[in-house]
Amino acid sequence: MTSLDKPTEETTEADDARAVTEAALFEAFGGVRGMVETVLPGLLFVTIFTLNNDLHMSAIAALAVSVVLVVVRLAMKDTVKHAFSGVFGVAFGVVFAMMTDNAKNFYLPGMLYTLGLALAYIVTSLAGVPLIGLILGPVFKENLSWRTRNPGRKKAYTKASYAWGFILLAKSAILFPLYWWADTEQLGWVLVTLKIPPFLLAVWLTWVFLAKAPAPIDVFAEMEAAEEAEKAEKAERERREQEADGALPGPSGGDGEPADPRGGRHRKA
C-alpha cells in the first residue's frame, strides 16, 4: 500500500458512511415526496379559504387531497406512514374547525403536536434517551445499541434531538402568538411558509452530527452471525456424537478396525 492509497480508502469509507446516513434520513423523514404530502393539504386549505372564506369547502378539499395521497401510495405499493400521518393530522384539524366553526382551529391540532414534539425531543435528550435515536436506530439497523455500546453515536443523537427540539420550539413561539392575534389567512400562510425550512434545517443538522459520529453497530448482522455460529456448533456437536457412537467412520477406518500404517488393515490372528 502506498502513502496515497490509505487516504483514498479512508475517504471512500467516509463517503460511504455519509451516503448511508443520507439514505437513512431520506427514508425516515419521507424525502421530497413526504414534504409535498405534508405541505399540500394545508396549502390547499389556506388557498381556498383566502379566495372564498368557505370553511367547509376548504376543509373538505384538504381532507380529500390527503386521502388521494394515501390512495396513490397504496396503488404504487409504497410505504404509507407519512401519508397516513398527514390524513390523521388533517382529519383532526377538519373536525376541530367544524365543531368550533372557527377556521383558525384547523391549524391548532398540528400546532399542539409540534409543541409536544419539541418538548419530547428536549425531555428525552435530558433523560439520556434522545428521541431521534429511537426513531433512526431501527433505520440504521442498530436499534438501541448506541445507548450502551456506541457512546459517540449517542452523543450525536443527543445533539440532533436538541436541535429538533429547539427548532420546533422556535417555530411554536412564532405560530402561537399569530393564532391569537392574526386572522386565519395570515396564520395559514405563515404556517405553510414555516413547514419546510425548519424541517430542512433540523434534517441537515442531524446529518452533520451523524456523519461525524462512529458507524452504527448492525445488531441484525450480529444476530444472524450468532445464529450461524450456533448452527455450525450444533452440527459439529452432532457429528462428534455420531462418530463416537460408530455411526460415522472415525480416524481408525471405515469399520472401526485399526488402520494398517502400510496402507491395509491388520488381519485378525
Side-chain angles (χ1 to χ4, degrees):
M1 180 181 294
T2 65
S3 59
L4 296 177
D5 291 333
K6 189 173 182 180
T8 302
E9 292 177 0
E10 291 176 351
T11 302
T12 302
E13 290 177 0
D15 291 340
D16 290 343
R18 291 189 180 94
V20 170
T21 301
E22 290 172 7
L25 291 176
F26 194 89
E27 177 185 345
F29 298 116
V32 175
R33 188 172 179 180
M35 288 187 286
V36 171
E37 292 170 344
T38 300
V39 172
L40 192 56
L43 178 61
L44 191 60
F45 179 91
V46 70
T47 300
I48 295 175
F49 192 83
T50 299
L51 293 175
N52 58 21
N53 284 332
D54 189 327
L55 169 59
H56 290 79
M57 182 182 293
S58 303
I60 292 171
L63 186 58
V65 76
S66 297
V67 173
V68 168
L69 292 172
V70 172
V71 172
V72 170
R73 279 194 178 263
L74 287 172
M76 298 178 65
K77 297 181 179 179
D78 200 356
T79 177
V80 295
K81 60 182 179 180
H82 300 290
F84 263 131
S85 63
V87 167
F88 288 127
V90 172
F92 277 118
V94 167
V95 170
F96 201 54
M98 288 188 172
M99 285 180 61
T100 59
D101 198 28
N102 184 350
K104 238 187 231 189
N105 287 336
F106 173 79
Y107 304 109
L108 188 57
M111 292 167 56
L112 292 173
Y113 173 77
T114 298
L115 178 59
L117 192 59
L119 296 176
Y121 276 118
I122 294 172
V123 170
T124 55
S125 297
L126 290 171
V129 193
L131 180 58
I132 199 69
L134 301 178
I135 295 172
L136 294 181
V139 178
F140 282 108
K141 300 180 180 180
E142 60 181 335
N143 285 349
L144 296 179
S145 62
W146 49 267
R147 286 198 64 200
T148 55
R149 300 173 57 192
N150 205 338
R153 199 156 181 86
K154 180 180 178 180
K155 184 177 180 180
Y157 280 138
T158 301
K159 289 180 179 178
S161 287
Y162 275 127
W164 277 91
F166 287 120
I167 288 171
L168 294 180
L169 205 58
K171 180 179 176 180
S172 298
I174 295 171
L175 292 178
F176 275 98
L178 289 176
Y179 174 80
W180 296 108
W181 300 330
D183 59 32
T184 301
E185 293 89 342
Q186 291 171 332
L187 173 63
W189 287 111
V190 171
L191 196 147
V192 168
T193 303
L194 289 179
K195 278 283 186 179
I196 300 302
F199 172 81
L200 290 179
L201 176 60
V203 171
W204 178 75
L205 288 173
T206 302
W207 177 83
V208 170
F209 294 139
L210 291 181
K212 297 178 180 179
I217 299 171
D218 191 337
V219 294
F220 296 109
E222 288 184 343
M223 287 189 289
E224 290 176 359
E227 288 177 1
E228 291 297 325
E230 184 177 351
K231 289 179 182 178
E233 183 180 352
K234 182 179 180 181
E236 177 65 17
R237 185 168 59 250
E238 290 176 351
R239 188 191 67 80
R240 289 179 180 176
E241 290 174 354
Q242 291 175 354
E243 185 178 286
D245 294 339
L248 292 177
S252 59
D255 55 5
E257 295 183 5
D260 188 341
R262 292 172 295 181
R265 298 188 183 276
H266 291 294
R267 295 184 179 274
K268 294 183 180 179

